[in-house]
Amino acid sequence: MIFGERRCCIFVVMLKYGVSVLICSLVFGTVAAQWRFEGDSTPRWEQVIARYAEFDRTRAGAELIEIGKDDDGSPIHLFVLSDGSGFSPDSIRAAGKNILWITNGIHPGEPDGIDASLLLAQALLDSDQLMGLLTNTAVCIVPVYNVSGAKQRSSTSRANQNGPAEYGFRGNARNLDLNRDFIKADSHNTRTLIAALTAWDPDVYFETHVSNGADHQYVMELLTTHPDKLDPALRQFMEERLVPRQYDWMRQRGLLMCPYFETLQHVPEEGLTGFVDGPRYSTGYNALRQRIGILSETHMLKPYADRVNATLQLMLGTLACMNEHPQELKKARTEARSNAMNVTLHATNWSIDTSRVEALDWKGYATEQVQSEVTGLPRLRYDRNKPTVVKVPWMNSAGYGSQVQRPAAYLIPAAWKEVIDRLRLDAVPMEVLTQERTGRVEVQRILDHADARSPFEGHYLHSKITTASEWETWVMQPGDVLVPMGHATDALVMEILEPRCADSFFAWGFFDSILQQKEWFSDYVFEDIAADLLKKDPALKATFDAERANDPAFAKDAWAQLYFIYRHSAYFEPGYRRYPVLRVMD
Ligand SMILES: [Zn+2]
């Protein structure tokens, strides 16, 4: 029992770095423990790191390390809280502990978790009772992940957010949104984080945010890895242990929490949908590594201090649950890894099924349409003097868009280094061939795809990708990389390598060079060759004649007819639209 002893102590810690006054009051007994943040300011990155460095210097249970670099060259830190089990992944695992990983400041305009984590660290280090939460768990905190974003301070980039007075910017030094970067890994930040996650392999990944969207009474919106696409063993732990404990913990402290949602139309009463976290997002990515993903999304209109305190309590509730059920969590992860090695049909391209509607209890505010002072047109207004308790339509079932049959292995030609490097970040088992090897492979040709009209996170994303398969006997070359399946990373590998997956490297444009034809013909020269080809190939002639008969426009287009013959001849380049990563079938 963590809060069994009746004791009361008040700490007022004047942080030397500034206006923020951290008031921590710890009350045990009949009153729930409270470590409270007050004020409306958040420290600068340098101040945050200085504070953790001080913990590192002065406390036995803490260590601050550098794990890599931001795109601007700034160091990214990790603060490890571990009660007597050392400060390396090996020593912590050897002590039988699980790991809770907290990433703050991925969107530095949403700094709630930066302050909540400072308070969490202080609370755990100052209180023997709270340190008990680390009996079965170590906590790894990334104090500020998007350091270059955190350095771009202003008071204005979050137009609708209620504090703090000044904060960082969403994009990093390359203007990348790091919570869309978990597959393509364009940024140093992402490469740093994925390598660190691979080394530490946390059991629960917790990331801190502030939500936009509709107004309501809840201070916290809880976003989890979507359960429908999570491994069944992890889903059971998440739905039966973790999420109920988080809701209980918040309820006991008078903090209202609802699931993270998007409004289907204009106001919640018209329906809310859940969110499917694709692989580009942290929770979607972590689910592919058999980790439960949690996002705290405090509500933008609530005062900053209330949001920080709610974030802290959600962290403590998560930690409490992990500490109470360590063996169950271990077992669920072991089972999930074993399941992942044996999944032969991988479901992908998930989306919310809006035809499946449930009722969600909802604490909102009355809404009205009034005339806009700006446009003269109707505008929406929430009336905070009229809280409502209603049921709203809730759509949170997800379905997959397609399934991928797992091959025996993938063969990545040596030339495609970016994708090989990306797989290495996750320590995907692979073999670099040292001599020629012949194998039966499935080749995918890109039939069609849609292109985005404007860039998204530095890429013109492809969507609606269709492929056709053909089988070949293929000679693999020394230096090519063979990625054998049958590992816990299979699902991640398929999401990256299968071109039809929405976050595949093909979809992000890394294979765009195969979409361009390199060689052409001069029509006056090719006329004679084409005539000769038709004479020698009756089957080609029959197809050509049928096309002319069926398509009047084609029959009138001399160039199109020559190109048709060119495309069906040995002159046409074999690599055009041929996806270079091969599926090895045996
Ligand atoms: Zn965010």
Side-chain angles (χ1 to χ4, degrees):
M1 187 69 185
I2 300 156
F3 305 118
E5 187 189 339
R6 188 172 183 83
R7 197 176 84 178
C8 177
C9 53
I10 307 286
F11 298 91
V12 178
V13 182
M14 297 295 293
L15 299 185
K16 61 185 176 190
Y17 49 73
V19 285
S20 238
V21 177
L22 203 62
I23 298 180
C24 315
S25 66
L26 180 58
V27 182
F28 291 120
T30 49
V31 184
Q34 283 269 307
W35 286 75
R36 292 197 306 109
F37 177 92
E38 292 191 357
D40 187 41
S41 69
T42 191
R44 292 177 175 276
W45 169 71
E46 295 84 349
Q47 296 166 325
V48 174
I49 299 306
R51 185 82 181 125
Y52 281 110
E54 191 182 319
F55 287 144
D56 179 18
R57 274 196 310 277
T58 57
R59 309 301 181 96
E63 191 162 283
L64 182 68
I65 54 177
E66 276 186 34
I67 53 172
K69 301 284 188 201
D70 185 290
D71 274 328
D72 77 348
S74 303
I76 298 174
H77 292 88
L78 181 68
F79 183 72
V80 184
L81 281 158
S82 159
D83 189 12
S85 52
F87 301 100
S88 75
D90 287 348
S91 67
I92 288 166
R93 294 287 176 200
K97 291 188 180 182
N98 295 320
I99 297 175
L100 169 64
W101 184 284
I102 301 173
T103 301
N104 299 301
I106 191 169
H107 295 151
E110 307 162 14
D112 306 24
I114 296 173
D115 283 300
S117 286
L118 276 171
L119 202 47
L120 175 73
Q122 176 119 41
L124 291 172
L125 291 168
D126 278 354
S127 154
D128 290 344
Q129 284 80 5
L130 281 180
M131 201 60 160
L133 288 172
L134 300 180
T135 305
N136 301 310
T137 314
V139 180
C140 292
I141 298 171
V142 178
V144 180
Y145 172 44
N146 179 357
V147 180
S148 54
K151 289 177 176 175
Q152 301 172 53
R153 302 260 294 194
S154 81
S155 305
T156 48
S157 70
R158 297 276 296 167
N160 299 331
Q161 190 170 290
N162 184 6
E166 198 182 86
Y167 41 79
F169 181 64
R170 186 181 188 90
N172 82 340
R174 288 177 57 181
N175 206 31
L176 291 168
D177 183 333
L178 301 182
N179 199 20
R180 309 291 184 272
D181 199 36
F182 279 85
I183 293 298
K184 62 188 175 69
D186 283 329
S187 70
H188 270 292
N189 305 62
T190 305
R191 279 173 251 154
T192 294
L193 183 59
I194 290 175
L197 290 171
T198 300
W200 289 81
D201 193 25
D203 304 277
V204 176
Y205 177 90
F206 188 114
E207 197 177 272
T208 56
H209 290 259
V210 181
S211 80
N212 298 319
D215 199 4
H216 52 63
Q217 300 175 42
Y218 303 91
V219 66
M220 178 66 75
E221 298 172 19
L222 177 65
L223 198 166
T224 69
T225 304
H226 198 287
D228 288 347
K229 63 184 186 65
L230 192 60
D231 171 87
L234 287 175
R235 175 181 186 159
Q236 191 178 0
F237 184 88
M238 186 175 86
E239 290 192 323
E240 292 179 13
R241 295 292 186 208
L242 181 56
V243 170
R245 187 74 172 101
Q246 290 170 322
Y247 273 96
D248 276 351
W249 185 279
M250 299 296 271
R251 199 177 300 120
Q252 285 165 12
R253 284 149 188 84
L255 298 166
L256 289 180
M257 181 163 80
C258 66
Y260 181 82
F261 66 91
E262 292 181 350
T263 41
L264 193 62
Q265 292 183 49
H266 305 101
V267 293
E269 284 73 9
E270 292 168 315
L272 301 175
T273 69
F275 179 75
V276 177
D277 45 340
R280 73 185 62 167
Y281 301 101
S282 58
T283 53
Y285 157 74
N286 277 295
L288 295 168
R289 297 303 314 273
Q290 299 87 45
R291 300 173 194 135
I292 295 173
I294 300 291
L295 255 61
S296 60
E297 292 269 5
T298 57
H299 188 242
M300 61 178 175
L301 296 177
K302 304 300 182 285
Y304 185 58
D306 292 354
R307 290 173 8 222
V308 172
N309 289 318
T311 305
L312 169 67
Q313 291 304 329
L314 188 61
M315 290 171 177
L316 285 169
T318 305
L319 195 49
C321 175
M322 291 178 69
N323 201 48
E324 286 153 8
H325 308 286
Q327 296 309 326
E328 256 180 84
L329 177 55
K330 267 194 190 51
K331 188 166 166 285
R333 285 206 81 212
T334 306
E335 226 174 291
R337 276 194 217 99
S338 163
N339 291 340
M341 293 176 195
N342 295 302
V343 171
T344 52
L345 209 53
H346 172 66
T348 183
N349 296 344
W350 292 79
S351 60
I352 292 290
D353 177 358
T354 49
S355 69
R356 296 173 67 181
V357 185
E358 297 166 68
L360 180 71
D361 290 323
W362 187 249
K363 290 183 162 70
Y365 294 114
T367 58
E368 57 182 341
Q369 290 287 327
V370 294
Q371 191 185 27
S372 161
E373 268 185 53
V374 180
T375 66
L377 299 169
R379 57 151 288 188
L380 172 66
R381 187 153 67 193
Y382 288 87
D383 188 345
R384 290 197 150 193
N385 295 317
K386 292 180 186 165
T388 59
V389 180
V390 291
K391 285 191 184 298
V392 297
W394 171 235
M395 289 143 271
N396 193 34
S397 289
Y400 56 81
S402 58
Q403 287 177 299
V404 175
Q405 184 79 43
R406 189 180 72 175
Y410 288 95
L411 190 274
I412 310 176
W416 299 93
K417 291 186 175 53
E418 295 92 338
V419 71
I420 296 167
D421 288 347
R422 172 62 190 84
L423 296 179
R424 285 215 167 96
L425 291 176
D426 270 278
V428 171
M430 54 178 82
E431 178 192 354
V432 182
L433 298 184
T434 53
Q435 54 191 32
E436 274 189 10
R437 195 183 296 184
T438 303
R440 187 86 179 134
V441 300
E442 182 184 344
V443 182
Q444 300 187 71
R445 279 190 186 277
I446 308 300
L447 291 182
D448 202 9
H449 65 274
D451 286 328
R453 295 185 65 184
S454 50
F456 176 76
E457 295 304 321
H459 298 256
Y460 287 80
L461 259 175
H462 303 310
S463 58
K464 299 176 184 163
I465 299 152
T466 56
T467 60
S469 287
E470 49 205 58
W471 280 263
E472 290 177 10
T473 299
W474 185 255
V475 183
M476 310 169 200
Q477 301 299 319
D480 288 355
V481 170
L482 200 59
V483 184
M485 295 287 96
H487 299 281
T489 45
D490 283 2
L492 175 73
V493 171
M494 287 187 268
E495 290 285 354
I496 291 174
L497 294 184
E498 285 294 339
R500 284 174 294 130
C501 293
D503 272 339
S504 69
F505 257 48
F506 176 81
W508 282 107
F510 286 92
F511 290 99
D512 275 5
S513 55
I514 68 158
L515 299 175
Q516 185 192 357
Q517 200 180 315
K518 292 290 185 292
E519 292 282 9
W520 294 88
F521 57 85
S522 295
D523 51 1
Y524 76 97
V525 183
F526 194 65
E527 279 280 357
D528 300 328
I529 299 169
D532 199 40
L533 284 171
L534 291 178
K535 274 181 214 143
K536 287 178 180 160
D537 188 345
L540 175 61
K541 182 159 189 339
T543 320
F544 178 66
D545 288 343
E547 193 73 15
R548 280 172 22 120
N550 293 334
D551 185 346
F554 180 74
K556 286 185 197 150
D557 187 336
W559 193 91
Q561 293 181 47
L562 288 176
Y563 183 64
F564 181 94
I565 296 165
Y566 179 74
R567 202 153 50 85
H568 289 84
S569 76
Y571 296 97
F572 191 70
E573 60 206 56
Y576 178 56
R577 290 185 166 268
R578 181 185 191 278
Y579 181 59
V581 178
L582 306 173
R583 290 163 54 86
V584 182
M585 302 314 284
D586 50 34

